[in-house]
Amino acid sequence: QVQLVESGGGLVQPGGSLRLSCAASGSIFNAYPVAWYRQRPGKQRESVASISTGGSTNYADSVKGRFTISRDNAKNAMYLQMNSLKPEDTAVYYCRTLTDPAYWGQGTQVTVSS
């Protein structure tokens, strides 16, 4: 079974940066498309960014130009570089596979506040 573990969340001031990591139990990032989702307080979980096996990326309009998704197949890892963070980026961030069934990590909290 695939296991995903996120890390890198924390408290950051508006305008700051964080890099989230997602580690996988096996070589999945070169086999499946994967994505970062987030769940903001009082909101439904939403897609933030995705990356295909071929390396094509897609971003939610709210994060375009600020967030970058990437992966390192050799390290079985995926990343989300988040720059110019805003208070509205505060959420629990999850990595997941875009498969059926989907595999999810447990989430990592990102809080953007002064």
Side-chain angles (χ1 to χ4, degrees):
Q1 185 170 347
V2 173
Q3 290 187 323
L4 303 174
V5 179
E6 302 95 336
S7 61
L11 173 64
V12 63
Q13 292 188 339
S17 297
L18 279 176
R19 188 193 194 206
L20 305 183
S21 299
C22 176
S25 58
S27 301
I28 71 161
F29 293 121
N30 61 344
Y32 306 127
V34 288
W36 286 97
Y37 275 62
R38 70 183 179 188
Q39 188 162 18
R40 294 184 281 181
K43 303 285 187 178
Q44 290 190 334
R45 202 171 290 190
E46 61 183 353
S47 176
V48 174
S50 65
I51 185 166
S52 71
T53 54
S56 298
T57 57
N58 280 290
Y59 297 93
D61 287 343
S62 58
V63 307
K64 276 181 183 176
R66 300 189 298 122
F67 290 12
T68 303
I69 187 172
S70 62
R71 65 167 193 260
D72 186 332
N73 294 338
K75 294 183 178 179
N76 297 329
M78 177 173 72
Y79 308 100
L80 186 68
Q81 178 67 42
M82 306 187 294
N83 299 328
S84 303
L85 283 161
K86 305 175 181 180
E88 52 264 42
D89 295 317
T90 294
V92 178
Y93 285 74
Y94 301 87
C95 58
R96 64 159 286 183
T97 60
L98 296 176
T99 54
D100 184 17
Y103 297 98
W104 292 84
Q106 83 290 347
T108 185
Q109 175 70 49
V110 171
T111 302
V112 185
S113 175
S114 54

mmCIF file of all heavy atoms in Angstrom, residues 25-51:
data_model
loop_
_atom_site.group_PDB
_atom_site.id
_atom_site.type_symbol
_atom_site.label_atom_id
_atom_site.label_comp_id
_atom_site.label_asym_id
_atom_site.label_seq_id
_atom_site.Cartn_x
_atom_site.Cartn_y
_atom_site.Cartn_z
ATOM 1 N N SER A 25 6.276 5.933 0.139
ATOM 2 C CA SER A 25 6.824 4.662 0.596
ATOM 3 C C SER A 25 7.430 3.862 -0.544
ATOM 4 O O SER A 25 8.169 2.914 -0.304
ATOM 5 C CB SER A 25 5.731 3.833 1.265
ATOM 6 O OG SER A 25 4.651 3.614 0.353
ATOM 7 N N GLY A 26 7.095 4.224 -1.774
ATOM 8 C CA GLY A 26 7.624 3.510 -2.921
ATOM 9 C C GLY A 26 7.819 4.442 -4.094
ATOM 10 O O GLY A 26 7.651 5.657 -3.977
ATOM 11 N N SER A 27 8.160 3.877 -5.225
ATOM 12 C CA SER A 27 8.438 4.683 -6.423
ATOM 13 C C SER A 27 7.136 5.010 -7.136
ATOM 14 O O SER A 27 6.821 4.422 -8.174
ATOM 15 C CB SER A 27 9.385 3.929 -7.342
ATOM 16 O OG SER A 27 10.598 3.638 -6.693
ATOM 17 N N ILE A 28 6.401 5.959 -6.575
ATOM 18 C CA ILE A 28 5.092 6.266 -7.160
ATOM 19 C C ILE A 28 5.098 7.518 -8.009
ATOM 20 O O ILE A 28 4.277 7.677 -8.894
ATOM 21 C CB ILE A 28 4.008 6.418 -6.072
ATOM 22 C CG1 ILE A 28 4.213 7.703 -5.271
ATOM 23 C CG2 ILE A 28 3.965 5.206 -5.173
ATOM 24 C CD1 ILE A 28 2.966 8.122 -4.548
ATOM 25 N N PHE A 29 6.034 8.423 -7.742
ATOM 26 C CA PHE A 29 5.952 9.723 -8.406
ATOM 27 C C PHE A 29 6.279 9.643 -9.891
ATOM 28 O O PHE A 29 5.908 10.521 -10.645
ATOM 29 C CB PHE A 29 6.848 10.735 -7.695
ATOM 30 C CG PHE A 29 6.367 11.066 -6.313
ATOM 31 C CD1 PHE A 29 7.173 10.843 -5.220
ATOM 32 C CD2 PHE A 29 5.099 11.577 -6.102
ATOM 33 C CE1 PHE A 29 6.725 11.132 -3.943
ATOM 34 C CE2 PHE A 29 4.637 11.861 -4.836
ATOM 35 C CZ PHE A 29 5.460 11.637 -3.749
ATOM 36 N N ASN A 30 6.965 8.592 -10.321
ATOM 37 C CA ASN A 30 7.189 8.430 -11.752
ATOM 38 C C ASN A 30 6.128 7.529 -12.377
ATOM 39 O O ASN A 30 6.146 7.303 -13.586
ATOM 40 C CB ASN A 30 8.591 7.877 -12.037
ATOM 41 C CG ASN A 30 8.798 6.519 -11.407
ATOM 42 O OD1 ASN A 30 8.040 6.120 -10.540
ATOM 43 N ND2 ASN A 30 9.818 5.818 -11.824
ATOM 44 N N ALA A 31 5.198 7.018 -11.542
ATOM 45 C CA ALA A 31 4.177 6.114 -12.050
ATOM 46 C C ALA A 31 2.795 6.746 -12.109
ATOM 47 O O ALA A 31 1.969 6.347 -12.948
ATOM 48 C CB ALA A 31 4.110 4.863 -11.181
ATOM 49 N N TYR A 32 2.539 7.714 -11.226
ATOM 50 C CA TYR A 32 1.210 8.313 -11.144
ATOM 51 C C TYR A 32 1.294 9.832 -11.177
ATOM 52 O O TYR A 32 2.255 10.412 -10.669
ATOM 53 C CB TYR A 32 0.532 7.930 -9.824
ATOM 54 C CG TYR A 32 0.454 6.459 -9.538
ATOM 55 C CD1 TYR A 32 0.918 5.945 -8.332
ATOM 56 C CD2 TYR A 32 -0.100 5.583 -10.448
ATOM 57 C CE1 TYR A 32 0.841 4.606 -8.040
ATOM 58 C CE2 TYR A 32 -0.181 4.234 -10.170
ATOM 59 C CZ TYR A 32 0.290 3.747 -8.967
ATOM 60 O OH TYR A 32 0.206 2.413 -8.695
ATOM 61 N N PRO A 33 0.255 10.460 -11.717
ATOM 62 C CA PRO A 33 0.156 11.906 -11.504
ATOM 63 C C PRO A 33 -0.158 12.148 -10.032
ATOM 64 O O PRO A 33 -0.839 11.336 -9.383
ATOM 65 C CB PRO A 33 -1.009 12.321 -12.402
ATOM 66 C CG PRO A 33 -1.811 11.083 -12.585
ATOM 67 C CD PRO A 33 -0.855 9.938 -12.519
ATOM 68 N N VAL A 34 0.340 13.241 -9.506
ATOM 69 C CA VAL A 34 0.164 13.537 -8.095
ATOM 70 C C VAL A 34 -0.177 15.015 -7.929
ATOM 71 O O VAL A 34 -0.006 15.808 -8.862
ATOM 72 C CB VAL A 34 1.434 13.189 -7.283
ATOM 73 C CG1 VAL A 34 1.599 11.683 -7.169
ATOM 74 C CG2 VAL A 34 2.674 13.815 -7.900
ATOM 75 N N ALA A 35 -0.637 15.364 -6.757
ATOM 76 C CA ALA A 35 -1.102 16.727 -6.543
ATOM 77 C C ALA A 35 -0.981 17.132 -5.086
ATOM 78 O O ALA A 35 -0.854 16.301 -4.191
ATOM 79 C CB ALA A 35 -2.558 16.851 -6.997
ATOM 80 N N TRP A 36 -1.012 18.438 -4.882
ATOM 81 C CA TRP A 36 -1.157 19.040 -3.555
ATOM 82 C C TRP A 36 -2.581 19.591 -3.451
ATOM 83 O O TRP A 36 -3.049 20.281 -4.364
ATOM 84 C CB TRP A 36 -0.154 20.168 -3.349
ATOM 85 C CG TRP A 36 1.237 19.700 -3.142
ATOM 86 C CD1 TRP A 36 2.227 19.608 -4.075
ATOM 87 C CD2 TRP A 36 1.808 19.268 -1.901
ATOM 88 N NE1 TRP A 36 3.376 19.129 -3.500
ATOM 89 C CE2 TRP A 36 3.156 18.922 -2.155
ATOM 90 C CE3 TRP A 36 1.328 19.141 -0.593
ATOM 91 C CZ2 TRP A 36 4.009 18.453 -1.168
ATOM 92 C CZ3 TRP A 36 2.176 18.685 0.387
ATOM 93 C CH2 TRP A 36 3.506 18.343 0.108
ATOM 94 N N TYR A 37 -3.216 19.281 -2.343
ATOM 95 C CA TYR A 37 -4.519 19.838 -2.008
ATOM 96 C C TYR A 37 -4.384 20.611 -0.696
ATOM 97 O O TYR A 37 -3.401 20.444 0.033
ATOM 98 C CB TYR A 37 -5.549 18.711 -1.825
ATOM 99 C CG TYR A 37 -6.200 18.238 -3.100
ATOM 100 C CD1 TYR A 37 -5.441 17.680 -4.113
ATOM 101 C CD2 TYR A 37 -7.573 18.346 -3.282
ATOM 102 C CE1 TYR A 37 -6.042 17.242 -5.290
ATOM 103 C CE2 TYR A 37 -8.189 17.912 -4.442
ATOM 104 C CZ TYR A 37 -7.422 17.357 -5.439
ATOM 105 O OH TYR A 37 -8.026 16.916 -6.603
ATOM 106 N N ARG A 38 -5.378 21.429 -0.401
ATOM 107 C CA ARG A 38 -5.400 22.100 0.889
ATOM 108 C C ARG A 38 -6.842 22.225 1.374
ATOM 109 O O ARG A 38 -7.780 22.226 0.568
ATOM 110 C CB ARG A 38 -4.739 23.476 0.821
ATOM 111 C CG ARG A 38 -5.508 24.510 0.032
ATOM 112 C CD ARG A 38 -4.717 25.807 -0.040
ATOM 113 N NE ARG A 38 -5.417 26.834 -0.817
ATOM 114 C CZ ARG A 38 -4.872 28.004 -1.147
ATOM 115 N NH1 ARG A 38 -3.631 28.317 -0.757
ATOM 116 N NH2 ARG A 38 -5.580 28.882 -1.838
ATOM 117 N N GLN A 39 -6.962 22.331 2.669
ATOM 118 C CA GLN A 39 -8.264 22.571 3.269
ATOM 119 C C GLN A 39 -8.135 23.765 4.204
ATOM 120 O O GLN A 39 -7.477 23.677 5.247
ATOM 121 C CB GLN A 39 -8.790 21.349 4.015
ATOM 122 C CG GLN A 39 -10.226 21.511 4.488
ATOM 123 C CD GLN A 39 -10.882 20.199 4.817
ATOM 124 O OE1 GLN A 39 -10.236 19.183 5.018
ATOM 125 N NE2 GLN A 39 -12.225 20.196 4.860
ATOM 126 N N ARG A 40 -8.719 24.869 3.782
ATOM 127 C CA ARG A 40 -8.702 26.078 4.592
ATOM 128 C C ARG A 40 -9.798 25.999 5.643
ATOM 129 O O ARG A 40 -10.783 25.279 5.479
ATOM 130 C CB ARG A 40 -8.880 27.295 3.696
ATOM 131 C CG ARG A 40 -7.711 27.498 2.751
ATOM 132 C CD ARG A 40 -7.836 28.752 1.925
ATOM 133 N NE ARG A 40 -8.738 28.585 0.800
ATOM 134 C CZ ARG A 40 -8.991 29.544 -0.076
ATOM 135 N NH1 ARG A 40 -8.428 30.727 0.040
ATOM 136 N NH2 ARG A 40 -9.815 29.329 -1.074
ATOM 137 N N PRO A 41 -9.658 26.748 6.738
ATOM 138 C CA PRO A 41 -10.670 26.697 7.807
ATOM 139 C C PRO A 41 -12.080 26.990 7.290
ATOM 140 O O PRO A 41 -12.300 27.998 6.611
ATOM 141 C CB PRO A 41 -10.200 27.791 8.770
ATOM 142 C CG PRO A 41 -8.725 27.879 8.551
ATOM 143 C CD PRO A 41 -8.531 27.619 7.089
ATOM 144 N N GLY A 42 -12.998 26.093 7.553
ATOM 145 C CA GLY A 42 -14.381 26.279 7.141
ATOM 146 C C GLY A 42 -14.660 26.058 5.678
ATOM 147 O O GLY A 42 -15.768 26.326 5.211
ATOM 148 N N LYS A 43 -13.636 25.562 4.942
ATOM 149 C CA LYS A 43 -13.799 25.374 3.501
ATOM 150 C C LYS A 43 -13.635 23.903 3.134
ATOM 151 O O LYS A 43 -13.085 23.106 3.893
ATOM 152 C CB LYS A 43 -12.747 26.194 2.738
ATOM 153 C CG LYS A 43 -12.744 27.678 3.029
ATOM 154 C CD LYS A 43 -13.899 28.395 2.371
ATOM 155 C CE LYS A 43 -13.789 29.899 2.523
ATOM 156 N NZ LYS A 43 -14.894 30.613 1.852
ATOM 157 N N GLN A 44 -14.087 23.564 1.928
ATOM 158 C CA GLN A 44 -13.852 22.220 1.427
ATOM 159 C C GLN A 44 -12.421 22.077 0.928
ATOM 160 O O GLN A 44 -11.761 23.060 0.575
ATOM 161 C CB GLN A 44 -14.832 21.922 0.281
ATOM 162 C CG GLN A 44 -16.281 21.769 0.728
ATOM 163 C CD GLN A 44 -17.177 21.250 -0.368
ATOM 164 O OE1 GLN A 44 -16.897 21.433 -1.551
ATOM 165 N NE2 GLN A 44 -18.244 20.574 0.001
ATOM 166 N N ARG A 45 -11.955 20.839 0.898
ATOM 167 C CA ARG A 45 -10.621 20.574 0.374
ATOM 168 C C ARG A 45 -10.582 20.949 -1.113
ATOM 169 O O ARG A 45 -11.535 20.671 -1.853
ATOM 170 C CB ARG A 45 -10.280 19.097 0.564
ATOM 171 C CG ARG A 45 -8.817 18.793 0.570
ATOM 172 C CD ARG A 45 -8.545 17.356 0.982
ATOM 173 N NE ARG A 45 -8.841 17.122 2.398
ATOM 174 C CZ ARG A 45 -8.510 16.008 3.028
ATOM 175 N NH1 ARG A 45 -7.895 15.023 2.378
ATOM 176 N NH2 ARG A 45 -8.810 15.845 4.295
ATOM 177 N N GLU A 46 -9.483 21.566 -1.538
ATOM 178 C CA GLU A 46 -9.368 22.044 -2.912
ATOM 179 C C GLU A 46 -7.995 21.721 -3.478
ATOM 180 O O GLU A 46 -7.009 21.624 -2.762
ATOM 181 C CB GLU A 46 -9.588 23.561 -2.958
ATOM 182 C CG GLU A 46 -8.574 24.353 -2.156
ATOM 183 C CD GLU A 46 -8.831 25.860 -2.155
ATOM 184 O OE1 GLU A 46 -9.728 26.327 -2.891
ATOM 185 O OE2 GLU A 46 -8.122 26.584 -1.430
ATOM 186 N N SER A 47 -7.967 21.589 -4.792
ATOM 187 C CA SER A 47 -6.712 21.320 -5.472
ATOM 188 C C SER A 47 -5.881 22.596 -5.538
ATOM 189 O O SER A 47 -6.398 23.672 -5.829
ATOM 190 C CB SER A 47 -6.979 20.805 -6.884
ATOM 191 O OG SER A 47 -5.770 20.621 -7.588
ATOM 192 N N VAL A 48 -4.600 22.462 -5.288
ATOM 193 C CA VAL A 48 -3.671 23.596 -5.355
ATOM 194 C C VAL A 48 -2.792 23.501 -6.594
ATOM 195 O O VAL A 48 -2.645 24.462 -7.344
ATOM 196 C CB VAL A 48 -2.797 23.640 -4.091
ATOM 197 C CG1 VAL A 48 -1.740 24.728 -4.209
ATOM 198 C CG2 VAL A 48 -3.660 23.865 -2.848
ATOM 199 N N ALA A 49 -2.202 22.315 -6.793
ATOM 200 C CA ALA A 49 -1.291 22.115 -7.913
ATOM 201 C C ALA A 49 -1.177 20.637 -8.211
ATOM 202 O O ALA A 49 -1.319 19.812 -7.301
ATOM 203 C CB ALA A 49 0.093 22.688 -7.599
ATOM 204 N N SER A 50 -0.913 20.319 -9.457
ATOM 205 C CA SER A 50 -0.740 18.920 -9.843
ATOM 206 C C SER A 50 0.405 18.801 -10.832
ATOM 207 O O SER A 50 0.781 19.780 -11.499
ATOM 208 C CB SER A 50 -2.030 18.354 -10.449
ATOM 209 O OG SER A 50 -2.340 19.018 -11.658
ATOM 210 N N ILE A 51 0.963 17.601 -10.904
ATOM 211 C CA ILE A 51 2.043 17.330 -11.847
ATOM 212 C C ILE A 51 1.838 15.946 -12.430
ATOM 213 O O ILE A 51 1.581 14.975 -11.713
ATOM 214 C CB ILE A 51 3.425 17.486 -11.170
ATOM 215 C CG1 ILE A 51 4.550 17.329 -12.200
ATOM 216 C CG2 ILE A 51 3.596 16.529 -9.990
ATOM 217 C CD1 ILE A 51 5.915 17.799 -11.667
#
